[in-house]
Amino acid sequence: MGKRLVITEKPSVARDIVGALGGFTEEEGFWESDDYIVTFAVGHLLELVAPEDIDEKYKRWTLDTLPILPERFPLKPKEGTRDRLRTIKKLLHRDDVENVVNACDAGREGELIFREVVEYLESAKPIERLWLQSMTKKAITDGFSKLTDGTKFDGLSEAAHCRNYSDWLIGMNATRALTRRLKSRSENQAWSAGRVQTPTLGMLVDRELEVLEHSPIPYWRIKATFDQAGTPYDAVWFDPNFKAENDDDKEDRIFEEARANAILEKVKGKPALASETRKPSREAAPPLFDLTSLQREANRRFGWSARRTLNAAQRCYEAHKVLTYPRTDTRALPNDYRAVVEEVIVQLGADERFAAASARLAKDGLLNTEKIFDDAKVTDHFAIVPTGTIVADLGGDDGRLFDLVARRFMGAFHPPAIWSRVERTTVVEEEHFRSREKVLQIPGWREVLPDPDAGSSMKLPPLADGDEANDVPVGPGETEVEADETKPPPRITEARLLSLMENAGKAVDDEDYAEAMKDSGIGTPATRADTIENLISKAYVLRAGRVLRPSVKGLRLIDILRRMNADRLASPALTGQLEKQLSEVEHRSLKSDHFMKEVYDYTKEIVELTKGFEFVDLFPDDESLGKCPLCSKDVYERSWFYRCKEPEGLEAARKLKKAKKKAGEDPNEVPEIVDCPFRIWKDKSGRYVDRRTVRELLADGKSRILDGFMTRQGRTYRGELEIADGEVQLKRVAGGESADDLGMPEYEVDDSPLGQCPQCKEANVVETRSTFICESGLKVLRALERDDTTLFPVKKKEIPEEMTYCPFLLPRTVCKREITRDEATSFVKDGQTPLLQEFTSRRGRPFVATLHLKENGRHGFEFPPRGEGGGKKKATKKKATKKKTTKKTASKKKTTTKKKTAAKKTTAKKTTTKKKTAAKKTAAKKTAAKKADVDPFEPDAPSS
């Protein structure tokens, strides 16, 4: 009987399978038993080839080669993966291997990773699918006992390929087209666009424009304090006959100061009568977590990014086996999972945190089961729940996340929380004041999952017995008028953005409606975190604390797309429909050919719209924003700045100059047309200058105080713009500076040492929540009361005399990538790690590298040779070859150099003057272009 070759997505999963099945011998790059061979990928081993690999003509980014619409989508190995592919190929084509088991993650991306490998390696062997929701030993052995025919997942495979091809087609064509039309000479990043990232950016831009365009309106509120039998209580004036006319109107706001003062004088010291109602309110237990709701809750409670939450959840699933599969969009459990749930609840009772809840559920039984156990709501995966495995001292991000999921799981089976909602109205001289309170009466599920933001203290004792009281006399108290102004809508938090992505841009708070919208969302739960991080790395979005705000570049992109009628690329609803169609491809209700035809048509439409627009048409002179302070002409909006009306013939003269220069003729022959130099650039220290601010500047010479300016270190501050001598200047306003940081991840700690420190060779290297560090260095840092995340060396004068200090330290997060314990152990033992993928540079670009130990005890990067899988030996050979070649040609070069030197000196004298003159002209143009951030011969942006 032949063997089954099992291919997993990651090495850690391969080890878990080997451990669960037993009987394996470890070989080089795989494990083998009598029945199975287990090997692994390292995420995606293959990628779609670049356009220039399809045809040489695509090497240059030109508009005439677009759209790029290949009939086939060839694959190539990703950098650093060739050795892994060779190992898999060798195993895949062994004569004794009869079946191949897809043990990659149970989802669209896991299916794609596996299918790409077997297709690229041209395997025709039968496929079986291992579909795991949990990584416990029992789940693994159960999974292997019921392997599924791989053909049942052909629909999932087609959807995965369609997603991959559509992202390539739309992203590649839109990015090239927009970059050619929008990129300036001073930029080094492309204008990236994509099927998912661009509509996500569009939602952030819409909110940012609302914030920027908001005009604060002053208003006044009247606050009073009354006395009820010796107990003071606060109240706020309101209009019982209020009717809103706009969004700024509220029943407790007074927009005339004189009226507010008149009411204040009217009620001062006058007797008051209070009435109230007390009504119970039921708050049902929240549903179980899917990935998106878990990311939202972790952002709300801990301020975590979506990626940080996903990484912690993935570790809890893979490494600790304490949670089920996290990349799910389902919040229900299958009906046959009830026995497992009851067992898990008992197992969680062994943890003192959950003991009381476990005992209560064992005694009273499980509630809400009709909502939680529902086969109709379960697709490929079910909700994220504990597996019942308890890991002692699980700390850091992983411990906090597990605690959150476990409490939500236990709370879901509890009764509702009962609140008492109190509304009290106090009337003084026919003026009404309101007091409201919500008090927790019966904790219900909140006993398991308390919320620090939910108030429960009694501040309004009953006016009388019963649930109602009318016209009870209360003592008058102090009254004051408080001035305020209307605020713009809040910027979008990461939690809110995840919700908007899930519901295709619609603000959906209703649980049932949100559930119905899921199939039309933007992206998938597994990809939304990467989409957000991608927007940040591409400089389209800035993370400011818990909120996300688009950069000036992001605002420009969406503005241009909408002006050129490419709304669909920036539309959450329409792009959500493509995601819905991918789901239909997966379930075989839509043919993949039909989906791809629509994508090809969509791609052509985007390219034609991008090619066809003229900047002058996108920004017509339809609304004057004020008068130019230099020439008094009307000022209008342009793509990169605001300026006064151009002189007649200026554009034609510029085009003629450019044409002459291209033809090798003298551009100075074109008559010079004097142009007013006044500009208000849309980008000012990282903040977008909107039309309203321009109107203020032109009318008053200065703006109101604005927030959102940014330092080079990424800190935001407030400032004021002012026009002085025809230039727009920024004056910083004291206060309001903030660091935009969500903190570094904290990992669980394994107390066992990794090995002897390679730096001092005296102490051991140990784990902390954020570093791998030498014990002697850690002792010094703790003695200095310094956080061990410090990456700066300790100064000699700081070290206590009785202590020795070793500087060895390896962060557990390097360039946004977690360094695993196995990788750190290699670093400690060998002075370097294996070749590692998925690092992210400061510019947001992914790269592959080996970490090596430097003399100062820190890490450095070694990069593989271009076009090769990486390896120091190959690099060394190349260097050796170069040295030999250099020695052979050295004597020839010396002779040739002597002959040429004399001629060069003579020529150099003649050309020096010419070069200096040309250099000055070029420098002047470059300075102007850099200052303007555009082509010096173009009024706005280069247009190819």
Side-chain angles (χ1 to χ4, degrees), residues 73-226:
F73 293 87
L75 293 164
K76 67 177 182 180
K78 291 183 74 173
E79 194 171 11
T81 65
R82 291 183 185 276
D83 288 344
R84 187 95 294 272
L85 281 166
R86 273 194 289 268
T87 299
I88 297 173
K89 182 178 181 178
K90 181 180 174 183
L91 297 171
L92 193 58
H93 292 291
R94 270 177 45 169
D95 293 337
D96 60 342
V97 170
E98 291 185 355
N99 293 59
V100 189
V101 178
N102 177 1
C104 293
D105 277 2
R108 187 196 289 170
E109 225 41 37
E111 194 70 23
L112 182 63
I113 288 169
F114 174 83
R115 297 285 183 135
E116 283 182 335
V117 169
V118 295
E119 289 166 13
Y120 181 77
L121 299 178
E122 299 178 338
S123 169
K125 293 181 179 180
I127 294 171
E128 295 173 297
R129 192 41 157 120
L130 175 69
W131 196 262
L132 296 178
Q133 300 284 5
S134 158
M135 288 302 296
T136 62
K137 183 175 181 178
K138 184 178 185 303
I140 292 170
T141 53
D142 287 349
F144 271 92
S145 70
K146 49 186 179 185
L147 292 172
T148 310
D149 183 352
T151 58
K152 291 184 179 179
F153 295 88
D154 285 350
L156 181 63
S157 172
E158 286 184 22
H161 282 88
C162 284
R163 194 279 306 160
N164 202 24
Y165 301 155
S166 64
D167 286 354
W168 190 95
L169 283 166
I170 296 168
M172 191 67 69
N173 283 281
T175 296
R176 287 189 172 215
L178 288 166
T179 299
R180 287 302 306 150
R181 297 305 311 273
L182 302 180
K183 187 177 178 182
S184 65
R185 289 180 178 178
S186 62
E187 284 184 288
N188 54 19
Q189 267 194 316
W191 283 71
S192 169
R195 180 182 64 87
V196 174
Q197 74 171 42
T198 307
T200 303
L201 173 63
M203 293 187 288
L204 293 171
V205 166
D206 287 340
R207 176 54 58 88
E208 187 69 13
L209 292 175
E210 288 181 55
V211 172
L212 295 176
E213 291 168 5
H214 175 77
S215 296
I217 302 170
Y219 68 85
W220 290 263
R221 300 168 81 226
I222 304 172
K223 293 187 173 181
T225 304
F226 298 99

Side-chain angles (χ1 to χ4, degrees), residues 399-410:
R400 294 172 78 184
L401 187 93
F402 171 72
D403 183 82
L404 181 63
V405 175
R407 290 182 184 279
R408 173 67 75 98
F409 169 72
M410 301 285 271

Side-chain angles (χ1 to χ4, degrees), residues 478-540:
E478 295 182 2
T479 314
E480 63 176 355
V481 172
E482 186 181 77
D484 205 341
E485 62 180 23
T486 58
K487 303 290 190 297
R491 287 187 171 94
I492 295 174
T493 64
E494 196 153 343
R496 187 61 173 162
L497 182 60
L498 288 166
S499 178
L500 291 171
M501 292 174 76
E502 185 177 45
N503 300 306
K506 293 181 171 60
V508 180
D509 296 315
D510 180 82
E511 289 282 351
D512 293 332
Y513 187 59
E515 190 72 27
M517 286 289 296
K518 276 190 176 181
D519 287 341
S520 299
I522 300 174
T524 65
T527 61
R528 286 172 190 142
D530 286 339
T531 298
I532 294 170
E533 295 299 330
N534 188 42
L535 286 169
I536 293 169
S537 70
K538 296 284 176 61
Y540 284 136

Side-chain angles (χ1 to χ4, degrees), residues 416-701:
I418 307 298
W419 297 84
S420 174
R421 294 184 180 274
V422 184
E423 179 150 336
R424 180 178 294 178
T425 302
T426 307
V427 181
V428 188
E429 293 293 310
E430 298 182 348
E431 299 294 340
H432 293 68
F433 292 81
R434 175 183 288 146
S435 308
R436 284 175 171 161
E437 185 177 60
K438 187 175 80 166
V439 181
L440 187 62
Q441 298 290 323
I442 302 173
W445 64 270
R446 282 196 174 274
E447 197 164 351
V448 189
L449 197 69
D451 188 339
D453 296 333
S456 61
S457 59
M458 176 76 75
K459 295 180 182 177
L460 295 174
L463 289 171
D465 294 336
D467 292 333
E468 289 192 20
N470 294 301
D471 299 334
V472 177
V474 295
E478 295 182 2
T479 314
E480 63 176 355
V481 172
E482 186 181 77
D484 205 341
E485 62 180 23
T486 58
K487 303 290 190 297
R491 287 187 171 94
I492 295 174
T493 64
E494 196 153 343
R496 187 61 173 162
L497 182 60
L498 288 166
S499 178
L500 291 171
M501 292 174 76
E502 185 177 45
N503 300 306
K506 293 181 171 60
V508 180
D509 296 315
D510 180 82
E511 289 282 351
D512 293 332
Y513 187 59
E515 190 72 27
M517 286 289 296
K518 276 190 176 181
D519 287 341
S520 299
I522 300 174
T524 65
T527 61
R528 286 172 190 142
D530 286 339
T531 298
I532 294 170
E533 295 299 330
N534 188 42
L535 286 169
I536 293 169
S537 70
K538 296 284 176 61
Y540 284 136
V541 171
L542 307 168
R543 182 177 275 128
R546 296 194 185 195
V547 303
L548 298 168
R549 44 178 288 217
S551 66
V552 175
K553 183 178 180 180
L555 284 154
R556 269 188 198 147
L557 176 65
I558 299 301
D559 183 36
I560 293 290
L561 286 173
R562 288 173 176 166
R563 287 174 182 270
M564 70 186 208
N565 297 319
D567 303 61
R568 191 176 185 191
L569 187 57
S571 166
L574 288 172
T575 305
Q577 286 301 309
L578 281 178
E579 200 68 51
K580 185 175 186 294
Q581 288 176 346
L582 282 171
S583 178
E584 291 170 354
V585 170
E586 177 184 338
H587 296 99
R588 297 301 184 92
S589 58
L590 179 70
K591 289 186 177 180
S592 58
D593 291 347
H594 180 88
F595 175 85
M596 289 306 301
K597 182 183 182 304
E598 182 163 334
V599 171
Y600 279 114
D601 292 342
Y602 185 16
T603 304
K604 291 174 188 174
E605 176 188 331
I606 293 167
V607 170
E608 291 309 311
L609 287 169
T610 309
K611 283 181 177 181
F613 77 81
E614 293 292 338
F615 282 101
V616 67
D617 298 326
L618 297 189
F619 294 90
D621 300 339
D622 57 356
E623 182 186 359
S624 171
L625 301 173
K627 298 294 182 180
C628 173
L630 297 183
C631 67
S632 300
K633 288 193 290 189
D634 286 330
V635 171
Y636 297 101
E637 182 178 5
R638 298 292 182 254
S639 60
W640 303 85
F641 45 73
Y642 305 88
R643 61 153 298 159
C644 51
K645 176 79 174 173
E646 297 91 338
E648 288 291 330
L650 178 65
E651 179 66 16
R654 279 175 168 160
K655 286 183 177 179
L656 185 55
K657 274 192 174 190
K658 192 171 182 180
K660 280 185 170 289
K661 185 181 177 184
K662 193 172 183 180
E665 300 175 18
D666 185 3
N668 295 321
E669 291 177 359
V670 180
E672 195 70 35
I673 296 178
V674 179
D675 184 24
C676 178
F678 179 73
R679 304 284 188 277
I680 300 176
W681 294 93
K682 290 182 177 179
D683 186 346
K684 193 69 175 176
S685 293
R687 188 197 191 278
Y688 185 77
V689 180
D690 59 296
R691 293 166 68 93
R692 181 192 162 207
T693 302
V694 173
R695 290 192 190 96
E696 290 175 358
L697 276 169
L698 296 176
D700 306 326

Side-chain angles (χ1 to χ4, degrees), residues 8-49:
T8 70
E9 191 166 324
K10 295 179 182 177
S12 59
V13 178
R15 290 190 200 95
D16 291 337
I17 289 173
V18 167
L21 299 181
F24 283 85
T25 302
E26 185 171 0
E27 306 293 344
E28 190 174 348
F30 64 95
W31 294 263
E32 187 165 1
S33 72
D34 293 339
D35 301 316
Y36 297 100
I37 301 169
V38 178
T39 191
F40 54 88
V42 189
H44 282 278
L45 298 179
L46 298 153
E47 61 187 355
L48 296 175
V49 301

Side-chain angles (χ1 to χ4, degrees), residues 709-851:
F709 296 104
M710 187 165 288
T711 67
R712 289 183 180 179
Q713 292 74 34
R715 301 175 74 89
T716 57
Y717 63 93
R718 305 178 79 196
E720 188 178 55
L721 297 178
E722 185 176 276
I723 295 178
D725 300 324
E727 296 269 337
V728 178
Q729 298 177 354
L730 169 61
K731 291 185 177 180
R732 190 164 179 163
V733 175
E737 186 176 288
S738 65
D740 303 333
D741 182 25
L742 285 180
M744 295 293 286
E746 291 187 349
Y747 303 100
E748 75 289 345
V749 176
D750 183 337
D751 292 329
S752 57
L754 280 76
Q756 186 184 62
C757 175
Q759 189 74 10
C760 67
K761 298 190 171 35
E762 293 180 4
N764 285 323
V765 174
V766 295
E767 291 183 13
T768 70
R769 295 208 186 284
S770 53
T771 59
F772 300 100
I773 188 170
C774 179
E775 281 180 314
S776 70
L778 182 60
K779 286 176 183 176
V780 172
L781 289 171
R782 286 178 175 168
L784 297 173
E785 297 183 349
R786 188 176 295 183
D787 192 320
D788 61 52
T789 58
T790 303
L791 301 183
F792 304 107
V794 176
K795 296 177 181 177
K796 286 186 178 180
K797 62 182 180 181
E798 295 181 292
I799 303 170
E801 291 182 6
E802 68 278 9
M803 288 188 169
T804 56
Y805 171 69
C806 174
F808 178 88
L809 184 147
L810 175 66
R812 296 185 71 168
T813 303
V814 175
C815 292
K816 298 185 180 180
R817 184 196 190 279
E818 178 193 353
I819 305 302
T820 67
R821 184 179 173 89
D822 288 348
E823 292 160 356
T825 301
S826 296
F827 185 80
V828 170
K829 183 181 176 183
D830 306 326
Q832 66 177 37
T833 66
L835 191 67
L836 305 179
Q837 299 188 50
E838 298 179 357
F839 289 112
T840 304
S841 72
R842 289 181 182 178
R843 296 182 182 275
R845 294 170 183 164
F847 67 94
V848 176
T850 296
L851 299 184

Side-chain angles (χ1 to χ4, degrees), residues 281-293:
S281 173
R282 291 165 57 89
E283 184 186 18
L288 301 172
F289 283 127
D290 62 3
L291 178 58
T292 303
S293 59

